[in-house]
DNA sequence: ATTAGCACTCGAAAGAGAAGAGTGCTAACA
DNA sequence: TGTTAGCACTCTTCTCTTTCGAGTGCTAAT
């Protein structure tokens, strides 16, 4: 069953209007729209058909129509017009990349903010995946007899650091030796392999130099990897409060309880495929996200996928503008990172 | 005008009950309370007096009473009983300090979380002030021809880092020299002085070694200080949604709009005096905080004030438990930091 | 000084009615 | 045959009452 062009037109008008107003749309309102030359009665017939096909819904038996999830899906798949971003939008986005002293974190932080500001939705970005980077330098700086900072720098400029107390069994000079050997031996290996190779490859070598090798390794490892790196950035959570569909504290709370579960969101965002993906309502598979849409796009460095940038808002989202914004932003991010 | 002991008792019961129930308290309910042996009529008379004195309010002409801000203030100043924390609370708090690998950030992060979890209010902590620390080591690690990471480590184990692009006019070896000289010259000076002394003291010395000194200094400085250090930690914002007084999206939004203004909150929290301070409703001087109470306490390292730990919730707060929790936590923080 | 009694006030909840937006269906029309 | 006018019907929303109960303030009795 394929839709007639008139049905398409009416569907489009209803979705566009509903995205604007958040109110059910009636036949009379549609017939008065520019570009529509049918009477309300005709439109009512078409709406009834569209409803039967599953693209529209009613809130009650004599209400106007609102888009169903299937309607949104169709809209997103087949009716998304290329949106022309305003000068202002474009400027605000490029401003993110205009700074002299920049690093990944700063750019990502600014990106997530500009995205939530421009859309009035909640924006989330997964930062560059540290473990894909390679070891540039490892360092231990002793602060006192019993405490030190371990610092790890990757070839992509990411820095991880952690303070720790030096156990009595390990001397400062032993730690230093350990670090020297690790730096020499493991320069430029992927961080993700560091853990396993630390155990396997150098235990023997070190035994001759250092007492308590295992303890020292354990400590060093604990210091560096005890916490997952914070590459999760979110902005505009309160924007949810502005959406009329969430004008009830109950709903807000249920949504926030999901958004706050960082692990869950990371799982949700971690992109499988390159490119842009839209999940509408129940497509998200999570009860609390039934009324939400998630739009995510990947960004990359020299073609290699680096992270995900995403937007969370009501199903009634301004998809066409939002998609343009995300595309522009993710492309700019990719470009900037690759240029460095 | 001093309150009679019966008035005190009634005031206490009303505030305690209201903190529990969030409902206006009537005379009959009070007279049935254990420890009260007066008839409702007697209590009504006392309540009328307490209202005239400004300690109580009515929500409408025939409602029960609720505490006024003056009532809360009196309660907090004169009626706060030492609260015996449950085993569970105490355990959860000490668990924060029980880890093997710890640094400031981790402890602060965990503290802010445990505090909001235990209270169901919003918790904020100002982390240790970096600029009071001293320079332990400065380092530049070159990542490529045109990019590098600058890392600054303080004697307190704080690490600041920033990536930057190396301008064409400056050679890598010059940067290295610069860092060496800075390390030698400025070891152990307070970070806060680093900026000015960099300008004044070593410009001359460096001129002979390095071309483009000023540019290099400018870059290094920009890299290290371009961003304020993130020593602001917050947790439990969504807890506000659980409070019956904020069951209206409007109110939540106005509160969140304030909480999100990091600068403003930092100003509000930065403690002038050592110790614990409670600000109730209008005492906060901020319109949007009329319905909120703020409790803040300082923590310190060897007696030297280090930061602030605070709790934000409705005026109807469980002051006595909350004060005990904050005191315990801030003391533990001070103790832990001093022990290191 | 305390308390019982009582009239009164106000909010919350429930119900009734009117208005209005919108539908579905039927029959007329081009 | 596709389109439209007309009309009965449905359902929400708003407003107006009514009722109920909790709680007060005041007066008079203890």
């Amino acid at each position: 069953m394929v839709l007639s062009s008139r049905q398409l037109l009416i569907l489009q008008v209803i979705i566009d209007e509903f995205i604007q107003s958040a109110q059910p749309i009636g036949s009379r309102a549609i017939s008065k729209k520019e570009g529509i030359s049918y009477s309300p009665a005709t439109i009512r017939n078409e709406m009834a058909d569209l409803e039967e096909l599953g693209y529209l819904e009613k809130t009650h038996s004599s209400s106007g129509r609102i888009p169903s999830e299937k309607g949104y899906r169709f809209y997103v798949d087949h009716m998304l017009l290329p949106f022309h971003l305003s000068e202002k939008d474009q400027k605000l986005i490029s401003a993110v990349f205009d700074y002299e002293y920049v690093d990944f974190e700063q750019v990502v932080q600014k990106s997530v903010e500009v995205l939530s500001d421009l859309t009035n939705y909640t924006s989330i970005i997964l930062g560059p995946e540290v473990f894909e980077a390679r070891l540039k330098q490892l360092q231990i700086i002793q602060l006192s007899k019993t405490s030190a900072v371990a610092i790890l720098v990757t070839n992509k400029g990411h820095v991880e650091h952690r303070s720790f107390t030096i156990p009595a069994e390990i001397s400062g000079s032993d730690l230093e030796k350990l670090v020297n050997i690790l730096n020499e031996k493991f320069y430029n290996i992927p961080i993700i392999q560091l853990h396993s190779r630390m155990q396997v490859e150098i235990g023997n070598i070190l035994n001759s130099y250092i007492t308590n090798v295992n303890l020292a390794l354990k400590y060093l490892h604990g210091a560096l990897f005890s916490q997952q790196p914070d590459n999760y950035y979110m902005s505009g959570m309160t924007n949810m409060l502005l959406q009329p569909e969430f004008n009830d504290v109950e709903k807000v709370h249920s949504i926030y309880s999901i958004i706050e579960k960082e692990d869950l969101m990371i799982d949700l965002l971690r992109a499988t495929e390159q490119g842009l993906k839209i999940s509408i309502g129940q497509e998200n598979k999570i009860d609390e996200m039934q009324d939400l849409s998630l739009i995510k796009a990947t960004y990359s460095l020299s073609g290699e996928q680096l992270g995900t940038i995403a937007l969370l808002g009501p199903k009634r989202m301004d998809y066409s503008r939002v998609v343009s914004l995300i595309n522009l932003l993710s492309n700019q991010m990719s470009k900037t990172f690759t240029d460095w």
Side-chain angles (χ1 to χ4, degrees), chain A:
Chain A
M1 177 71 195
V2 76
L3 298 183
S4 72
S5 67
R6 190 166 69 188
Q7 285 175 323
L8 287 176
L9 180 62
I10 290 174
L11 183 56
Q12 172 126 37
V13 168
I14 290 178
I15 298 184
D16 283 342
E17 280 291 304
F18 185 71
I19 285 174
Q20 278 279 319
S21 69
Q23 298 294 327
I25 314 298
S27 55
R28 221 178 88 87
I30 297 174
S31 87
K32 280 196 296 191
K33 275 235 74 166
E34 203 167 351
I36 305 272
S37 52
Y38 305 99
S39 74
T42 309
I43 291 168
R44 278 205 290 283
N45 290 330
E46 295 289 20
M47 291 202 297
D49 290 348
L50 284 169
E51 182 177 0
E52 203 166 347
L53 292 169
Y55 296 106
L56 294 180
E57 283 173 359
K58 288 192 276 197
T59 59
H60 61 87
S61 75
S62 72
S63 78
R65 299 304 203 293
I66 64 173
S68 67
E69 286 190 12
K70 186 174 171 189
Y72 283 124
R73 172 47 62 197
F74 187 87
Y75 179 83
V76 159
D77 286 344
H78 303 111
M79 307 172 87
L80 223 49
L81 304 172
F83 185 91
H84 185 71
L85 294 173
S86 73
E87 288 283 320
K88 201 175 132 232
D89 290 355
Q90 297 189 32
K91 260 195 198 138
L92 282 168
I93 287 187
S94 22
V96 171
F97 304 94
D98 272 358
Y99 281 80
E100 246 185 319
Y101 318 112
V102 280
D103 60 20
F104 282 107
E105 272 109 40
Q106 261 179 303
V107 168
V108 170
Q109 183 70 46
K110 293 213 179 218
S111 298
V112 79
E113 279 164 18
V114 83
L115 188 57
S116 65
D117 284 352
L118 287 180
T119 57
N120 265 322
Y121 303 132
T122 300
S123 163
I124 305 166
I125 299 191
L126 292 191
E129 199 46 92
V130 180
F131 293 120
E132 285 171 14
R134 289 158 180 280
L135 178 66
K136 187 82 194 181
Q137 190 161 345
L138 196 63
Q139 202 157 15
I140 291 193
I141 295 171
Q142 203 161 344
L143 300 171
S144 71
K145 278 246 159 52
T146 56
S147 66
V149 191
I151 300 177
L152 176 155
V153 183
T154 74
N155 63 331
K156 290 179 180 170
H158 189 92
V159 178
E160 284 286 308
H161 62 89
R162 185 89 53 243
S163 305
F164 63 101
T165 43
I166 307 174
E169 299 88 342
I170 299 176
S171 78
S173 67
D174 276 357
L175 263 184
E176 207 171 303
K177 274 189 230 156
L178 173 59
V179 168
N180 284 338
I181 293 171
L182 286 172
N183 267 320
E184 192 184 316
K185 190 86 184 162
F186 289 151
Y187 179 78
N188 213 33
I189 75 160
I191 301 292
I192 199 168
Q193 297 176 11
L194 198 54
H195 177 38
S196 54
R197 288 178 67 171
M198 234 154 102
Q199 307 270 334
V200 179
E201 289 185 29
I202 57 169
N204 297 334
I205 303 177
L206 291 177
N207 263 325
S208 40
Y209 297 90
I210 300 171
T211 50
N212 283 311
V213 180
N214 286 329
L215 187 60
L217 276 177
K218 175 176 158 257
Y219 255 73
L220 189 60
H221 183 264
L224 289 172
F225 302 113
S226 65
Q227 215 186 21
Q228 67 173 354
D230 61 339
N231 58 349
Y232 181 82
Y233 301 83
M234 169 153 58
S235 170
M237 240 174 114
T238 58
N239 287 347
M240 288 293 185
L241 298 170
L242 300 172
Q243 303 299 333
E245 33 267 274
F246 309 134
N247 67 348
D248 166 25
V249 173
E250 283 289 316
K251 280 186 204 144
V252 174
H253 191 245
S254 112
I255 292 171
Y256 278 4
S257 72
I258 285 297
I259 300 187
E260 274 197 335
K261 288 187 186 133
E262 209 169 292
D263 302 350
L264 194 142
M265 292 308 290
I266 289 177
D267 270 2
L268 215 59
L269 292 199
R270 188 152 287 152
T272 45
E273 326 118 69
Q274 198 103 6
L276 187 133
K277 173 118 196 281
I278 301 181
S279 316
I280 299 163
Q282 309 205 333
E283 295 173 6
N284 288 302
K285 310 277 188 212
I286 293 176
D287 268 8
E288 287 86 346
M289 287 180 68
Q290 282 204 24
D291 297 326
L292 300 177
S293 277
L294 175 72
I295 303 185
K296 59 183 181 183
T298 55
Y299 61 93
S300 52
L301 188 154
S302 317
E304 181 195 357
Q305 190 169 309
L306 210 58
T308 308
I309 158 173
L311 206 54
L312 200 62
K315 286 190 290 190
R316 181 189 61 80
M317 221 190 227
D318 189 351
Y319 291 100
S320 110
R321 174 156 177 272
V322 154
V323 165
S324 297
L325 283 170
I326 290 196
N327 272 330
L328 177 58
L329 190 57
S330 65
N331 287 337
Q332 286 268 18
M333 285 175 75
S334 299
K335 184 163 170 302
T336 305
F337 292 157
T338 305
D339 282 356
W340 288 354

